[in-house]
Amino acid sequence: MQAIIEIEKLNLFYGAFQALKNVSMEVPERAITAFIGPSGCGKSTLLRTLNRMNDMIQGTRIEGKIEIGGADIYSNDVHVETLRKKVGMVFQQPNPFPKSIYDNVAYGPRLHGIRKKQELDEIVESSLRSAALWDEVKDYLKRSALSLSGGQQQRMCIARALAVGPDILLMDEATSALDPISTLKIEELAQELKDKYTIVMVTHNMHQAARVSHQTVFFLNGEVVEYSDTEKLFSDPSDQRTEDYISGRFG
Amino acid sequence: MTDRSASAPSAFGKRSGASAIYNRLFTGFVWFVGICVILFILGLLFLLLQKGLPKLTWDFLYGLPSEIEEGGGIGPALFNSFYVLFLSLAISIPLGLAAGIYLAEFAPDNKWIGLVRICVEGLSSVPSIIFGLFGIAIFVEMFQVGLTILGGAVSLAFLNLPVLTRVTEESIRAVPVEMKNASFALGSTHLQTIRRVLIPVALNGIITGICLVAGRAFGESAVIILTAGVTTSGSMWDFNLFSPGETLAVHLWYVQSEAIVPDAQEIAQKATAVLIFFVLLINVVFRVPLWLNGRKTKL
């Protein structure tokens, strides 16, 4: 599989605190890569460097290089708005806007200049279909997104992210606020989406990583300890710390 | 456990003891105070309105004031009230919103901005007459334009600016950060996020603030007396910014304290009723967009 994201010797500091230490890795295209590790290990931080959401945190400093599709995303001529259009994100808590379902999904396309009703209608429908939500909400598009259940809200957030036409979808513990059935639905959805999108997910749930991902990256204290095929990482880890973590000895 | 169930007939019966009594006492007390306050407000409104409202006529609302004879109206003063209110809001809303958005979204987190914030807070509790003196200093002494509608409106805008700034900042800050992140993660610019997410979500608080300052501006007298004067140009629909701009609230003060017309008492009563009516109306009118917005965004 071809790599779409290449990270080279990445160091990230929040003020004096170093949150990521010399991280290098590649993320394969159209596959699911999972970041695992204990709280505060830097997995979410790394995820947020990929669409530059860390830019908004004051005092963040970055060294090293991240290339997406061969282009350095921290070079000066990059517009974060364009980058984020290509690298979508789904958050830990479902975060719908207090608008209708339609307006939520159409929010992104409208930001990027799509005005025609017919075009928006098509995008909203195809995005909701991709997020496996269309059949549940097609008659209620004008209703507030806040009236949906937590799992539906999260799938709507996925649809909203897909609506701007990204290549990469970042999922930051996207199921940790959901019940088991909703979680399962999102996992199934991720399996379907990987044929068209590259998915990078942070999860605190090792079983989830084992169930859905192709590649798994294990983080500890801001460092990448191990990075390999999911099957290999869980069955035959090469680092003692990885083995301790996946067998539940800490974390 | 057994002791307790022996003394109480039902396991889930009424709780007894001090905490239950306090709870009931407190509930009763809160109800009592609440009803007293509501009765007081209703009584006050009734008292003020019942003297003025029955005698109100169109001639009074529309008519020109009279200095000597009976039967003067409040037309120009009422018109000025709205004109000055409109002008002052037209100045203070854009500035107040902009300043509030700046403080909430763009201002760096340092001591200097902290000082600015304290000043804004202090200014919002400065007595209005100080702003009146400030208006005199600018319009009467510096620009030498005398007592004008423009001077009154600008001074009123200054009076309301700190309150609007604070309310806007607080409302914008209260928008959950998750919503902001959602917008940014979809590739929105800062302006798009402010316009499409922060302001709509904060609108409730902002409109409440506008309501507050609009009511205050409509009823304000000290600033107007000092900067716009206690006379009108004497004709209706005078849009000239440099006319003297006595408003209804000032007219009320004027007829009560200075006027020599024989029916001053009656004019005051009717003007009071009109003033109260319009302040209530302003509050209702400003809530309409809020209500529409709420219908769109809630369930």
Side-chain angles (χ1 to χ4, degrees), chain A residues 51 53 56 58 81 84 87 89 91 95-99 107-108 110-112 115 144 146-147 160-161 164, chain B residues 107-109 178-190 192-193 196-197 200-201 296-299:
Chain A
N51 65 347
M53 289 296 276
M56 291 191 289
Q58 266 186 21
E81 292 84 23
R84 289 175 189 154
V87 186
M89 190 167 208
F91 295 82
N95 53 359
F97 301 121
K99 302 169 186 274
Y107 183 86
R110 280 177 177 148
L111 287 181
H112 299 289
R115 291 268 174 277
S144 168
L146 301 176
S147 66
R160 188 174 64 184
V164 293
Chain B
D109 199 7
E178 287 82 11
M179 274 182 209
K180 250 173 89 175
N181 282 342
S183 176
F184 279 121
L186 288 165
S188 83
T189 61
H190 206 157
Q192 285 174 322
T193 299
R196 293 167 194 235
V197 176
V201 176
K296 235 168 53 183
T297 55
K298 303 247 161 52
L299 296 182

Side-chain angles (χ1 to χ4, degrees), chain B residues 46-104:
Chain B
F46 177 74
L47 202 73
L48 294 171
L49 291 177
Q50 60 105 14
K51 282 188 180 163
L53 269 190
K55 296 182 221 152
L56 273 187
T57 56
W58 285 113
D59 285 346
F60 177 74
L61 285 180
Y62 206 79
L64 300 177
S66 139
E67 279 294 336
I68 303 169
E69 286 164 44
E70 281 186 43
I74 54 165
L78 186 58
F79 167 76
N80 279 345
S81 278
F82 280 106
Y83 193 33
V84 168
L85 174 68
F86 172 78
L87 288 174
S88 78
L89 289 181
I91 298 165
S92 61
I93 290 178
L95 289 179
L97 287 192
I101 289 169
Y102 170 78
L103 284 177

